[in-house]
Amino acid sequence: MNWQQLLHLVVVRIKQVIGLYAFVLIPMWGMFFLNEVALFGLWNIFGIVPRALDVGSMIGVFASWTMHGNLSHLTGNTVTLLQILFLFGLFEKNAYRTVIKLVVASGLVTWVIGSPSSIHIGASGLCFAMLGYMIGGAIFARRWGYLIACIVMGTGYWLTIKQGLMPQQGISFAAHFGGLCAGLLLGANSKHTYSAASQRY
């Protein structure tokens, strides 16, 4: 890969980063304000209710990442996603497809392992799924970009994982743990595409 090919790849991936920000964050923030202004908080009733087979819980499996209890909840998840989506945009060839897979996988695992009397909302499950994907890719799939990212960002990410997996009042352990496990599994079975990408230019 010469410098022109490398520059082209970097430009493509930066565009993908911007696209990912729009793809994930606009629905999160848009649904939050729509829920506050027009839906009177009703959107949040469609969160994940573990092992419930009603339509609302099935919606939650796919869309609970757009549901947040308050602005602080939304802001916290946004700050984490800004960092992780940047890395995904740089290192994933099919980043949009990967994010969709992680949304569904983390939602399904939360639905399976969560307490039947609970309801799970928020993008933290997706955050942990993306962290798990990076770790799984770095350790098991030898994806060196994610390995470097895990080392450089490691202290903050490991602290986030540690805090997120500690049972706390009002915090969804099932979503955090389920997302992390789903991400680890998908990441371990992922492959980098730098060589394939470079051969096409």
Side-chain angles (χ1 to χ4, degrees):
M1 180 183 295
N2 59 38
W3 70 270
Q4 291 177 321
Q5 293 170 333
L6 179 60
L7 179 61
H8 177 74
L9 181 60
V10 169
V11 170
V12 168
R13 295 299 170 88
I14 291 298
K15 288 181 179 178
Q16 185 171 245
V17 169
I18 297 170
L20 279 177
Y21 284 158
F23 184 69
V24 175
L25 299 180
I26 289 178
M28 283 172 52
W29 282 84
M31 285 308 303
F32 176 78
F33 285 111
L34 180 63
N35 190 39
E36 290 288 310
V37 173
L39 301 179
F40 308 104
L42 294 177
W43 179 237
N44 288 357
I45 68 174
F46 296 109
I48 301 172
V49 179
R51 294 175 297 287
L53 296 175
D54 58 279
V55 174
S57 188
M58 292 301 99
I59 291 174
V61 168
F62 298 94
S64 62
W65 59 281
T66 66
M67 306 171 192
H68 290 84
N70 52 51
L71 186 59
S72 176
H73 187 198
L74 175 62
T75 303
N77 284 332
T78 298
V79 170
T80 302
L81 284 169
L82 283 171
Q83 302 172 59
I84 305 176
L85 288 171
F86 178 79
L87 297 172
F88 260 61
L90 290 183
F91 298 126
E92 286 296 313
K93 179 188 175 187
N94 298 305
Y96 299 97
R97 184 172 64 185
T98 300
V99 169
I100 292 172
K101 287 181 180 179
L102 291 171
V103 165
V104 176
S106 62
L108 285 173
V109 176
T110 302
W111 183 83
V112 170
I113 70 173
S115 169
S117 61
S118 59
I119 183 168
H120 303 266
I121 62 172
S124 56
L126 174 60
C127 292
F128 274 78
M130 297 178 81
L131 285 171
Y133 185 90
M134 290 171 55
I135 295 169
I139 296 175
F140 300 107
R142 297 182 180 179
R143 300 192 58 180
W144 309 122
Y146 284 142
L147 179 59
I148 294 171
C150 287
I151 293 172
V152 173
M153 308 295 290
T155 303
Y157 285 169
W158 291 116
L159 183 60
T160 298
I161 292 173
K162 179 182 178 181
Q163 291 177 336
L165 295 182
M166 293 176 62
Q168 303 172 57
Q169 184 71 25
I171 301 296
S172 175
F173 171 81
H176 292 181
F177 182 72
L180 185 66
C181 291
L184 281 169
L185 181 61
L186 290 176
N189 289 281
S190 68
K191 296 180 180 179
H192 69 76
T193 55
Y194 301 121
S195 58
S198 64
Q199 291 173 2
R200 292 196 301 270
Y201 296 132

